[in-house]
Amino acid sequence: MNRGDLATIIDHTVLGPTTTGGQVQTTAIEAEQYGMNVCVPPCYLDVACSVAESASVVTVIGFPHGQTTPTIKSEAAVQAYNAGADEIDMVLNIGQIKAENRDVVYDEIAEVVAAVPAPVKVIVETALLSTAEIEQAGSIAQDAGAAFLKTSTGFASEGATEEGVSTLAQYLPVKASGGIRSYGDAMRLINAGAERLGASSGVKILQEAPVSD
C-alpha cells in the first residue's frame, strides 16, 4: 500500500497517562502534515481541534478499562462530540463479556451509539478475551449498531494480532491498534482484515511505506 493511501486509514495516536497538551498539538500537526487522522484524550480535544483542519479527530471514552457506567459513557460521548470529536472509540465492559451478560453489554453499546451522530468504534481488548469471547463481543457490537470494532487500548499485555483482527472482521470493519510500530506491522494487520490502524508511530510507518505502488 502506498504512503498516501495508508495515511488515510491511520489514527495517529497519543493516549498515554502522561500526555500533555503540547504532545497532542505535535501529534495533530503531524496528522495534518501526513494526511492521517488523530486520536487524543477527551481532555485535549480543544487542542487537537484547533490544529486539525482536514484531519478527523478521534477520542476515547471509558478508557482504558471500560468500567464506567453506561450513562457516564454516553454522556462522555455527547461531551466529546460537542467538543469537536468526529469519531468515538469506547471500551466495552470486559468483565460483563466474561460474565456472559450479553444484554448488559448490548444495552451499553446501543446507548452510546444512540447518543451521538458519530461513528462509534467498540474497543474489545482482545488480549484479555478468549476467541469465543471475542466473537461474542463482535456479535453484540454488530447488533448494537457500532460502526467499527477495535482490537486494543494499547495498555493490555498484548496489542493487535492477526488472529484477533481476522476474528473481529467477521462482524464489522476493524481498527487494529496496539503495538503497530512499522510498515511491516501495519501491512500484516491490513492483510488480516484491518481497515483502520491506531498507532503512535504513524509518522515512522508512513516514512517506511512506498511513495507509490
Side-chain angles (χ1 to χ4, degrees), residues 81-204:
Y81 178 76
N82 290 339
D86 298 299
E87 299 179 0
I88 305 294
D89 290 9
M90 67 164 286
V91 186
L92 58 67
N93 191 313
I94 299 159
Q96 297 287 13
I97 285 287
K98 288 197 159 293
E100 300 183 4
N101 291 327
R102 181 185 178 94
D103 290 347
V104 174
V105 179
Y106 173 89
D107 289 346
E108 174 183 91
I109 297 171
E111 184 172 337
V112 174
V113 168
V116 289
V120 174
K121 306 189 203 81
V122 175
I123 305 173
V124 174
E125 201 68 279
T126 53
L128 302 181
L129 301 178
S130 67
T131 299
E133 289 166 342
I134 293 169
E135 291 172 343
Q136 180 83 322
S139 174
I140 294 169
Q142 181 184 51
D143 291 347
F148 264 77
L149 289 159
K150 180 175 172 180
T151 62
S152 323
T153 62
F155 293 95
S157 58
E158 186 178 47
T161 65
E162 293 164 80
E163 180 182 6
V165 168
S166 62
T167 301
L168 290 174
Q170 300 173 82
Y171 302 97
L172 286 168
V174 177
K175 175 179 172 178
S177 61
I180 308 171
R181 300 185 178 90
S182 69
Y183 176 72
D185 291 339
M187 291 310 301
R188 280 192 293 274
L189 294 165
I190 289 169
N191 289 335
E195 298 184 31
R196 291 281 285 275
L197 304 173
S200 59
S201 300
V203 171
K204 177 178 180 291

Side-chain angles (χ1 to χ4, degrees), residues 1-12 30-38 183 190 196-197 202 205-206 209:
M1 182 177 288
N2 69 47
R3 187 176 299 174
D5 290 341
L6 182 57
T8 64
I9 67 169
I10 294 176
D11 292 354
H12 191 35
E30 290 172 344
E32 278 287 313
Q33 179 182 354
Y34 284 87
M36 299 180 282
N37 311 305
V38 61
Y183 176 72
I190 289 169
R196 291 281 285 275
L197 304 173
I205 291 167
L206 291 178

